[in-house]
Structure formats: structure tokens, C-alpha cells
Amino acid sequence: MNPNDLTLRPLAGDQEVDLFNQLPYVLNEEIADDLAQGRRRPARMWVALRGDHLLGRAAWWGRAGADAPLLLDVLDVDDALTAPDRVDVGVRLLRTAMATALPEGSDPPRYSRFVPDDWRDRPATRQAVEDRMRIVERTGARPFVERLRLEWRPGATTARPAGRLAFRPVDDAAELLDLMTAALDGTLDAHSRDDLTRMSVRAAAVAHYEKELARYTSPREWWRVATRPDGTPVGFVIPARNDYNAIIAYLGVLPAHRGNGYADDLLAEGTRILAGQGVPRIRASTDLGNAPMADAFARAGYVTFQREIVMRWHRQGAEG
């Protein structure tokens, strides 16, 4: 492909959403509202064009009003191109966009891609996923984790809390931070384990709380601590709403109480609270490698409807 045939540029504005959405992806239906709500900005939404033909696109997502995006969550190329051209277009687009759209000197946000649960078993889908992973790798990123995306819908078979634990609201942020700090001991979650390579256990709990949990606008009265009959806490669950869905945002069992199936009780309580709000669905996610948590979700009536591929950069790699 002649490099001079390509135009690489950000969107001119909201009026180009239809152009941007000419390539298919599950997030297309959210793009316009994300722009309207400030979670996306035209300057962080890039396209590769040959004339009027869209050959590739990339976009970052962030919280409204934030200075920097949190995720590269849209990266697509025209799958009708030849294999070398697909990767070449994607790499050139992503490198150009990263150099302009991201704060100078910062580590690029992680790459996230939603894929079908059986993506490895479907040749065309696998090719598309691996093309995009190859593009990201060519700009310096490496695979980080694969996650299960789970969903519960009204009418699904679900367990009730077994009655062996009592549930109460979280007293305050200090209590939750103490519980989160304790629950990080022996965690199987890849993001938490990565945090623990760079900061103390308490700092990791505080960062998770401040960057995610404290930002939810849903009632904190939903948050629950599970206790044994003598009042001893054994774990906690955080039902919440994000910008898109009701979610099980976080669930933790304290190390001394693992192996007793308490995750089932916590998940049943969190699901009960959200289901009581009349929501059309509840979403959750867990690492593919976290088999105990995946099994708990399955017992609670959650089904895997997608997976998520997560890759990450370090700044020195992205500059190469």
C-alpha cells in the first residue's frame, strides 16, 4: 500500500460519528452518547482514510472532564485489506494518534478489546482479534490478561444467601479500605497483583478505592459487609452502577475465611440488592485464570457473554 494514499487524522467533531462507525464493533452503539457525555473527545478519536474510505480507526475512553484517557478501547481496521496492509495501516494510525492524542511523557493507557467467548474457535474472528493484538504489539505493548465478561438477567437461576452470614452496610470508607487491604493478601486478580509490584498493599487498596469505587454515583448504602454470627467480618461486596450498567464492582473474601464458599453468599447478596432495583441486567467480570470466582459467578446464575483482552505498554516500549 502506498503510504501517501493514507490520511491519518482525528475526527473533526461529533458530526463524523457515522464515518467513525463504518467499521463494526460492539461499542459503536455507545460512541455518540460517550461523545455527548464527555467520555470521548474528537481529538482522541482517529481515522485512517483513503479518500472517503475508512481503513482504520482508534479511540480512547476516559471519565468526563479528566485530563487523560483511561483506555484505548476502539482499534479497528478494514478486514477486507490484505493481512500485511491491515497491520501496516493499524500500526501507522496508532503510532500517529498516540504521539498526538496522549499526554507527553505518560505511559499509554491499556488496550482493551471485547471479543466473543469462543473467539479462538472461529477462524475469521480469531484472525481479526489477532490482527489487532499484533498492531498493538508492534507499538510496544504486551498481553496482560484475558477476562471473562459475565451477565445476570432477571429470571436466571440464582442462589439466595445461605443464612450463615449476616449482612450490613459498610460503616465508612475507612472500614472498606481496611477490608480491601486485608483481601489483597493472596489475590488472584491480575490488576491487583500488578499494583502490588509497584506499591504497598494499603496504597493499592487506596488507589483502587479512589480511582474506581469512590467515583460511583449509585448509593453507598448498597455496599455490604458480611459477618459471622459473632460479628466478625468475613468479606464484602460492592454492588453499583457505572455509566452503562448495574455491576458487581468488587467482591472480596478475607484470607482467614477463604475455602468456606462465602463468595457465593456475598455474590448472592450483591445480586439481590441490584435485582431489587428492577435493572434489566447485572454485569461483572473476572480474570480467566481466577477459576474460583468464575465458578462462583456460574453458580449464581451469571453467564459468560464475552471476553476482554487487555494489553499494556510501558513508555519506553511505546516510543520504539
Side-chain angles (χ1 to χ4, degrees), residues 10-88:
L11 293 192
D14 296 8
Q15 71 276 12
E16 289 196 309
V17 167
D18 287 345
L19 167 67
F20 190 80
N21 282 347
Q22 285 178 8
L23 294 177
Y25 185 46
V26 294
L27 293 183
N28 281 7
E29 63 186 22
E30 299 173 359
I31 296 293
D33 187 60
D34 281 347
L35 273 166
Q37 300 301 323
R39 295 185 289 264
R40 298 190 191 275
R41 301 179 187 178
R44 296 175 185 164
M45 301 175 67
W46 279 65
V47 292
L49 300 166
R50 181 193 289 145
D52 295 330
H53 188 102
L54 182 65
L55 298 184
R57 64 177 185 167
W60 285 266
W61 179 94
R63 294 192 177 94
D67 292 334
L70 290 176
L71 286 173
L72 172 69
D73 64 341
V74 178
L75 176 63
D76 288 300
V77 290
D78 183 348
D79 291 312
L81 294 170
T82 65
D85 284 346
R86 289 195 300 268
V87 174
D88 182 62

Side-chain angles (χ1 to χ4, degrees), residues 173-219:
E175 179 186 36
L176 181 59
L177 284 169
D178 287 344
L179 293 171
M180 292 173 65
T181 301
L184 283 171
D185 183 8
T187 181
L188 298 177
D189 181 80
H191 288 86
S192 295
R193 291 167 69 92
D194 180 58
D195 286 343
L196 293 175
T197 66
R198 295 176 286 104
M199 62 185 78
S200 71
V201 177
R202 185 67 174 193
V206 170
H208 187 172
Y209 177 81
E210 292 181 346
K211 292 179 181 180
E212 181 184 350
L213 305 184
R215 296 175 181 268
Y216 292 128
T217 58
S218 49

Side-chain angles (χ1 to χ4, degrees), residues 235-291:
F236 59 94
V237 62
I238 308 296
R241 283 181 183 268
N242 62 18
D243 292 327
Y244 308 97
N245 293 288
I247 61 170
I248 301 294
Y250 195 14
L251 185 155
V253 178
L254 304 188
H257 301 285
R258 290 173 185 157
N260 296 306
Y262 290 150
D264 290 356
D265 301 71
L266 285 158
L267 187 52
E269 176 69 2
T271 302
R272 183 193 66 79
I273 290 169
L274 292 174
Q277 309 302 313
V279 299
R281 60 179 175 252
I282 301 170
R283 293 274 175 89
S285 61
T286 193
D287 291 357
L288 178 63
N290 191 345

Side-chain angles (χ1 to χ4, degrees), residues 151-153 156-159 267 271 295-304:
E151 183 175 89
W152 179 94
R153 287 186 177 268
T157 300
T158 187
L267 187 52
T271 302
D295 290 344
F297 277 113
R299 290 191 295 269
Y302 287 73
V303 298
T304 301

